[in-house]
Amino acid sequence: MTPIAIPLVDARGSRRVADALADELRRAIDGEVRFDDGSRALYATDASNYRQVPIGVVVPKSVDDVVAAIAACARHGVPVLPRGGGTSLAGQCCNVAVVIDFTKHVNRIVELDSARRIARVEPGVVLDQLRDAAEMHHLTFAPDPSTHTHNTLGGMIGNNSCGVHSVMGGKTVDNVIALDVLTYDGVRMTVGRTGDEEFSRIAGGDDRRADIYRRLKSLADRHADEIRARYPKIPRRVSGYNLPALLPENGFNVARALVGSEGTCVVVLEATLRLVDNPPARSLLVLGYPDVYSAGDHVPEVMQHGPVALEGLDDRLISDMKSVHLHPGDEQLLPEGRGWLLVEFGGKDKEESDGRARAAMAALKGAKHPPTMHLYDDPPKEEKIWKIRESGLGATAHVPEKQITWEGWEDSSVPPENLGKYLRELRKLFERYGYECDLYGHFGQGCVHTRIDFDLETAEGIRTFKAFLHDAAHLVVSLGGSISGEHGDGQSKAELLPIMFGDELMRAFREFKSIFDPGNKMNPGKVVEAYRADENLRLGTDYDPPKIRTWFGYPADGGDASRAALRCVGVGECRRHTGGVMCPSYRATREEMHSTRGRARLLWEALNGDVLGGWKDESVKAALDLCLSCKGCKGECPVNVDMATYKAEFLGHYYKGPLRSLRRPLNAYAFGYIDKWSRLASHFPGFANRVANSALSKSLLKIPQPRTLPAFAKRPFTRDFKVAGSGMKIILWPDTFNNYFHPEIAHAAVEALARSGCEVHVPAQPLCCGRPLYEFGLLDSARAYLTRILRTLKDDIEAGTPVVGLEPACVSVFREELPNLLAHDEQAKRLSQQVFLLSEFLVRKAPAFPFSRLAKKAIVHAHCHHQAVLKTDALHELLERLGLDYELLDSGCCGMAGSFGFEEEKYDVSVACAQQVLLPRISQSPREALIVTDGFSCRAQIEELAGRRPLHPAELLKMSL
């Protein structure tokens, strides 16, 4: 890892300056001031190749806090970095500075005026937050990057973001009307388009604002000819400062000149944005070509038909998607070809959008070499097609048996008429340098995305990386293009700007920054006077990850835990606020440290960095404490970061050693070994229930007083079980929860399976998958539990006997933890493929389906492991076959998550998770509606917080019999 100078934290005592600044900030603002090592490590990287440890982090509660914080930093001469969602790919969101994170509090939509089609927003507003509000008026904010669920408008203004539908309404710069900005030296002003009269009024003053305007006018006048000559007039030019906005023909628009300045000039406090019509109906036409180059050739032809989006992808992306098992089978929806264009048309209704698509098809069919084509009118299929395109990063970052890929030449763009030629020449350049990569992107505007397998660890590899960047820059400029067409310059492309703009405009760029920031304190070292592309690398020639003996095998990472630690690429999908499972504790707290990304980065820092302290680090422990191990990240993160596994691994090391193990809390043994206590309690359940819920037990185990522990049943399921049914032999897995707490569910499952043509058995001796052990890092015990299962079920494993589970958390142990913890055990691999959730077995494997239809309404909540790991397709099919009028909630994790909700310090987060979707939807449902969920934890949470008794799918099946 390249050494990083950290001013204010050096041997000359500058730490005192940082401490003094932190003290002043705490007195000056209502927000949070975090100068601790954990917070600094948390913000040391973005989604780029770079790492710079900040001086500290400020989380303001208001715009006034921001103003006060900047003033304090200025008094101490400390650099500042305003930060949005931290998803930048060029290194502009990491710096040795005080990071100001707007996302938690400074995130209001101040005004939305549908008549004037404008919105006023604070910088921390998430794009989808604005789009959802605007959609109520059939309006939208046109730019929509793939990070739209979690990126902020402040970040979009900083980067001049674009996205799929910028074809429809332009880049961010085209949609900014005015900005309320603050300079480092305290000048606050509203800037925008400036007419001659207004300019004279402003420039005639004797204050700092007047000086800024006069100097900007002088800059524009002196360099006007060069600006007009050197800036490519293409849809996707994001590189460089937006000096054309200062030209007379563009209205001397200071706001638009500042868009894309990446926090190097001012802090944006508020933005007034343009909203545009959002066609309510969409139609998706997919065109197939012999290769991606041919697809590129035909972009101008397709654009003549007025699509609202036009995306492209190549066959290598599809191949890599298959390799990482991403959206399996969806690629079959694509028409024949090896390069594709996804063309979306809009209209006031489906008839109009389909009509435009069919008109395009008719014209294309008459061309000399018509593409294969398919028009989709099925929204679920259209969504799957878009998922293929959106999977570019996830499909290419970590492909088995391939090198990790990186940003660096991630978003170049050319005139659309030159796209086919550029793609061919770019591929030749890749081949000359020995790089493998996929090609996809916003082809309608000539923007090409790719991640490249750069070697960023050896001196030779880094020299080759730099040489490639310079050759690629010359190539794209020779075709009239831009080094960056979407993600900005930051550090990774800043040294290439002279190739594109020449010496005169580089001087103009430096002057532009100095007009606003004469002391170079705003995000220094980015865009101009920038670090080289090979400085501050997160890896570098001294990257030497520790050789760790791990419990898990990490088969998806070639058995290499250090590669697993690199899996997070920082795209921040875990920071979205709605939809899916990931990441429930972040949604509850809005804290970076409680996102999957935050935890992954802290783990990497602990193992590789120079700030945190390895496996025993308390900052990492604190971040992982609120991880619910929901596995949402494993199922939904674009690169499948598996935080539940990393948490278990970390805790195993954290408590390793005789003295350290004494620090493990008492509840770890109470909940971790729940199978043993349950077996004991089953002999005197009444007494056990009284003890478990006594004030003394709750105090000792730190169980929140409002909680009531689930009651042990009078008799466990296995004590009354007898082999049932005839036909296909199956083993019903009597998990601890349904065996000792809800035996009626297991009995209902036996009846359903027997009636389905199965001979139902249970294991010959008490077994437990050990699910709760992982939450406390008790991995030696977890391995022993699994080994015992393999030994006990040996004959049935070898016979291929299906094992049917009722509890998703337990089934996911067999699918996930078993082949990971026992990575080289063939029996483990076999068993992992033989275990099915009840719904999966009944709709895919059972000999018969004897169940009657239920004419009932139901609200269905799937356990988080069911949603993220096992997937809910089979559950959907089962409910359809049962004839239920059901709603399967997109409710994420219920918040109970095993023992999580029974731990005192986690109670508030547990309840907050349930209150996001699950509890409100249940409270809105009629009392006669069935509540259905298959997770033991989910049932406990719903019963306690909603006062409704949910049914397990097995009980539904019994009702239908």
Side-chain angles (χ1 to χ4, degrees):
M1 191 165 50
T2 307
I4 300 164
I6 307 178
L8 308 186
V9 195
D10 61 20
R12 295 191 294 270
S14 294
R15 177 75 251 177
R16 290 193 299 272
V17 178
D19 291 342
L21 172 59
D23 289 342
E24 181 174 341
L25 284 166
R26 291 187 182 101
R27 292 192 300 270
I29 71 171
D30 295 327
E32 299 152 64
V33 179
R34 304 170 181 176
F35 278 50
D36 59 284
D37 287 344
S39 295
R40 293 170 60 231
L42 193 62
Y43 288 81
T45 54
D46 51 11
S48 71
N49 302 332
Y50 301 101
R51 173 182 181 267
Q52 291 176 281
V53 181
I55 296 159
V57 179
V58 171
V59 182
K61 282 194 173 176
S62 65
V63 167
D64 288 343
D65 270 0
V66 179
V67 175
I70 298 295
C73 290
R75 281 191 290 273
H76 290 265
V78 174
V80 169
L81 165 58
R83 190 177 189 263
T87 61
S88 293
L89 282 155
Q92 55 267 66
C93 274
C94 54
N95 213 326
V96 183
V98 170
V99 173
I100 300 180
D101 184 348
F102 294 87
T103 58
K104 187 176 181 182
H105 300 297
V106 189
N107 53 21
R108 294 181 307 134
I109 298 176
V110 179
E111 178 188 13
L112 198 156
D113 187 330
S114 59
R116 294 164 58 209
R117 299 191 178 196
I118 65 160
R120 289 170 48 221
V121 299
E122 292 180 333
V125 171
V126 168
L127 174 57
D128 271 3
Q129 181 186 347
L130 174 61
R131 292 171 73 198
D132 290 346
E135 180 59 41
M136 297 171 63
H137 307 282
H138 306 295
L139 299 171
T140 193
F141 186 68
D144 60 339
S146 60
T147 51
H148 55 85
T149 60
H150 54 283
N151 69 8
T152 66
L153 286 154
M156 291 181 68
I157 290 165
N159 281 5
N160 194 9
S161 299
C162 307
V164 172
H165 291 99
S166 58
V167 166
M168 180 173 70
K171 307 184 292 292
T172 296
V173 69
D174 303 312
N175 295 278
V176 167
I177 297 169
L179 297 176
D180 179 6
V181 300
L182 178 70
T183 65
Y184 185 81
D185 56 358
V187 179
R188 184 173 178 178
M189 52 187 173
T190 299
V191 297
R193 189 179 182 92
T194 315
D196 292 343
E197 185 177 334
E198 184 182 6
F199 177 83
S200 297
R201 179 180 58 79
I202 295 170
D206 58 1
D207 57 2
R208 173 89 164 93
R209 185 188 188 194
D211 180 61
I212 289 172
Y213 270 65
R214 287 193 297 265
R215 293 173 64 191
L216 289 174
K217 183 68 164 60
S218 172
L219 181 151
D221 289 345
R222 284 182 281 112
H223 299 286
D225 290 342
E226 190 74 356
I227 292 169
R228 294 184 182 104
R230 294 299 295 254
Y231 275 79
K233 295 174 179 59
I234 58 175
R236 284 296 188 98
R237 191 276 310 157
V238 171
S239 276
Y241 289 134
N242 275 317
L243 300 187
L246 298 176
L247 296 177
E249 60 265 33
N250 296 321
F252 194 76
N253 196 320
V254 179
R256 292 190 175 184
L258 286 167
V259 173
S261 57
E262 302 181 11
T264 62
C265 296
V266 297
V267 179
V268 174
L269 302 176
E270 187 183 291
T272 302
L273 306 174
R274 177 183 75 147
L275 302 176
V276 299
D277 285 323
N278 190 24
R282 303 292 174 91
S283 298
L284 178 63
L285 172 63
V286 183
L287 308 175
Y289 294 89
D291 50 48
V292 73
Y293 319 112
S294 301
D297 291 335
H298 287 83
V299 162
E301 176 186 16
V302 178
M303 283 296 294
Q304 292 175 11
H305 300 282
V308 297
L310 198 165
E311 301 289 290
L313 56 141
D314 72 358
D315 56 328
R316 296 187 185 215
L317 177 63
I318 299 302
S319 176
D320 283 344
M321 254 182 52
K322 291 178 182 177
S323 295
V324 297
H325 309 294
L326 198 61
H327 312 305
D330 289 358
E331 73 282 352
Q332 296 174 14
L333 295 171
L334 297 172
E336 184 181 348
R338 298 185 66 183
W340 295 270
L341 297 179
L342 315 184
V343 193
E344 186 177 68
F345 293 90
K348 65 180 184 292
D349 52 34
K350 194 67 173 170
E351 182 179 359
E352 183 176 15
S353 62
D354 276 356
R356 289 173 175 166
R358 290 196 175 96
M361 293 175 74
L364 292 170
K365 283 177 183 175
K368 188 174 182 181
H369 299 290
T372 59
M373 55 187 78
H374 192 95
L375 175 61
Y376 292 87
D377 266 329
D378 181 357
K381 286 184 178 178
E382 292 178 38
E383 184 178 352
K384 288 179 178 180
I385 295 286
W386 281 118
K387 288 287 185 185
I388 293 173
R389 162 60 187 89
E390 291 171 2
S391 69
L393 188 149
T396 61
H398 292 270
V399 181
E401 311 303 324
K402 288 188 177 183
Q403 297 296 314
I404 298 175
T405 60
W406 304 94
E407 68 90 10
W409 194 250
E410 223 280 340
D411 63 324
S412 55
S413 66
V414 294
E417 60 270 20
N418 290 343
L419 180 60
K421 181 177 181 181
Y422 177 58
L423 291 171
R424 290 180 179 90
E425 294 300 317
L426 187 59
R427 178 61 70 193
K428 289 178 185 176
L429 190 63
F430 289 146
E431 291 171 351
R432 178 151 62 88
Y433 277 91
Y435 292 138
E436 297 275 345
C437 59
D438 307 343
L439 296 170
Y440 54 98
H442 310 297
F443 281 15
Q445 294 192 313
C447 184
V448 179
H449 288 318
T450 185
R451 291 178 66 88
I452 303 173
D453 51 334
F454 296 123
D455 169 9
L456 299 178
E457 297 181 40
T458 69
E460 180 60 30
I462 294 169
R463 281 194 294 270
T464 303
F465 155 70
K466 279 202 65 170
F468 168 82
L469 292 182
H470 282 260
D471 281 351
H474 283 290
L475 169 61
V476 78
V477 170
S478 74
L479 293 173
S482 176
I483 290 164
S484 175
E486 180 151 34
H487 298 143
D489 303 314
Q491 177 177 344
S492 65
K493 293 175 222 133
E495 73 173 68
L496 306 174
L497 291 177
I499 297 171
M500 180 174 170
F501 291 105
D503 292 341
E504 180 182 337
L505 286 184
M506 291 306 299
R507 289 193 296 273
F509 289 167
R510 288 190 284 272
E511 182 181 350
F512 180 80
K513 175 175 168 60
S514 70
I515 290 171
F516 290 100
D517 180 31
N520 193 26
K521 297 298 184 181
M522 293 297 302
N523 203 10
K526 312 295 175 175
V527 186
V528 295
E529 305 294 353
Y531 296 103
R532 301 188 313 272
D534 58 349
E535 291 183 280
N536 302 321
L537 289 171
R538 187 179 175 202
L539 302 186
T541 55
D542 60 347
Y543 173 65
D544 187 19
K547 307 301 182 284
I548 310 164
R549 281 195 67 185
T550 59
W551 277 275
F552 291 99
Y554 303 99
D557 295 289
D560 185 352
S562 65
R563 176 162 174 151
L566 280 172
R567 187 166 276 275
C568 176
V569 297
V571 73
E573 186 74 13
C574 46
R575 287 172 53 96
R576 67 185 182 216
H577 298 164
T578 59
V581 179
M582 179 178 67
C583 177
S585 50
Y586 171 75
R587 293 183 189 181
T589 67
R590 300 293 169 92
E591 289 282 357
E592 174 73 14
M593 70 182 288
H594 297 309
S595 67
T596 302
R597 178 179 72 178
R599 293 180 178 121
R601 292 303 171 79
L602 283 175
L603 272 169
W604 189 91
E605 289 286 337
L607 297 178
N608 299 280
D610 49 7
V611 179
L612 302 185
W615 289 116
K616 311 300 183 186
D617 191 88
E618 295 299 331
S619 299
V620 182
K621 170 68 162 50
L624 289 172
D625 271 346
L626 286 188
C627 171
L628 289 87
S629 298
C630 67
K631 291 186 177 285
C633 48
K634 179 63 187 293
E636 297 172 9
C637 167
V639 288
N640 305 120
V641 168
D642 186 359
M643 191 49 60
T645 295
Y646 304 166
K647 174 185 177 180
E649 184 77 61
F650 176 85
L651 292 176
H653 290 278
Y654 180 83
Y655 289 115
K656 191 174 184 180
L659 294 179
R660 297 288 298 189
S661 64
L662 293 175
R663 296 179 58 183
R664 193 178 260 121
L666 187 60
N667 63 7
Y669 300 99
F671 291 117
Y673 293 103
I674 186 67
D675 64 304
K676 297 182 184 298
W677 304 120
S678 297
R679 199 176 316 149
L680 181 64
S682 70
H683 297 289
F684 36 86
F687 174 73
N689 288 329
R690 288 193 296 274
V691 170
N693 281 295
S694 68
L696 178 61
S697 292
K698 286 188 173 183
S699 177
L700 287 172
L701 299 177
K702 296 185 176 179
I703 296 170
Q705 288 304 314
R707 288 293 192 196
T708 301
L709 289 169
F712 294 103
K714 292 181 179 179
R715 291 175 64 83
F717 160 73
T718 50
R719 198 170 294 167
D720 294 327
F721 173 78
K722 293 182 176 59
V723 174
S726 60
M728 176 192 289
K729 180 184 178 182
I730 65 110
I731 294 173
L732 178 65
W733 183 256
D735 63 89
T736 294
F737 310 107
N738 287 307
N739 188 27
Y740 295 109
F741 294 92
H742 292 295
E744 70 280 4
I745 290 174
H747 285 299
V750 170
E751 185 175 352
L753 289 163
R755 294 282 289 273
S756 299
C758 299
E759 182 179 288
V760 185
H761 296 252
V762 298
Q765 57 181 287
L767 297 173
C768 177
C769 71
R771 161 55 66 200
L773 298 169
Y774 299 92
E775 312 316 311
F776 304 100
L778 294 162
L779 299 182
D780 286 330
S781 294
R783 182 177 283 153
Y785 275 42
L786 294 176
T787 301
R788 185 171 179 229
I789 291 170
L790 295 181
R791 187 170 60 247
T792 303
L793 299 184
K794 178 178 182 297
D795 292 343
D796 282 302
I797 293 170
E798 292 172 359
T801 305
V803 178
V804 179
L806 304 175
E807 172 61 38
C810 298
V811 173
S812 76
V813 168
F814 291 106
R815 295 273 181 89
E816 296 274 318
E817 279 78 13
L818 175 62
N820 197 342
L821 206 55
L822 303 176
H824 303 292
D825 190 312
E826 293 301 318
Q827 287 287 75
K829 293 177 185 176
R830 292 186 189 101
L831 180 57
S832 71
Q833 296 168 11
Q834 291 172 220
V835 179
F836 304 91
L837 202 58
L838 178 65
S839 54
E840 293 176 319
F841 181 80
L842 289 176
V843 301
R844 295 174 185 165
K845 297 287 183 180
F849 192 87
F851 308 102
S852 303
R853 293 173 68 83
L854 294 170
K856 294 180 180 291
K857 291 184 179 293
I859 301 294
V860 184
H861 167 79
H863 184 281
C864 50
H865 290 195
H866 193 166
Q867 297 177 67
V869 176
L870 309 175
K871 306 304 180 185
T872 57
D873 295 356
L875 178 61
H876 269 293
E877 187 173 345
L878 178 68
L879 298 174
E880 292 286 344
R881 289 201 202 178
L882 290 176
L884 280 173
D885 178 7
Y886 70 94
E887 178 188 0
L888 181 57
L889 300 178
D890 185 8
S891 44
C893 180
C894 73
M896 184 63 86
S899 65
F900 184 94
F902 290 110
E903 297 179 47
E904 196 169 59
E905 67 276 15
K906 302 172 183 175
Y907 177 75
D908 290 343
V909 171
S910 172
V911 173
C913 291
Q915 287 175 335
Q916 289 178 23
V917 174
L918 180 60
L919 295 183
R921 190 65 195 88
I922 289 176
S923 70
Q924 295 161 7
S925 66
R927 296 297 298 184
E928 65 272 15
L930 303 177
I931 309 297
V932 181
T933 186
D934 51 3
F936 173 77
S937 297
C938 311
R939 292 195 298 278
Q941 184 83 311
I942 291 169
E943 284 195 52
E944 182 148 308
L945 298 182
R948 302 278 292 271
R949 183 189 179 277
L951 297 176
H952 189 281
E955 295 174 294
L956 284 181
L957 294 166
K958 183 174 181 178
M959 289 173 62
S960 78
L961 289 170

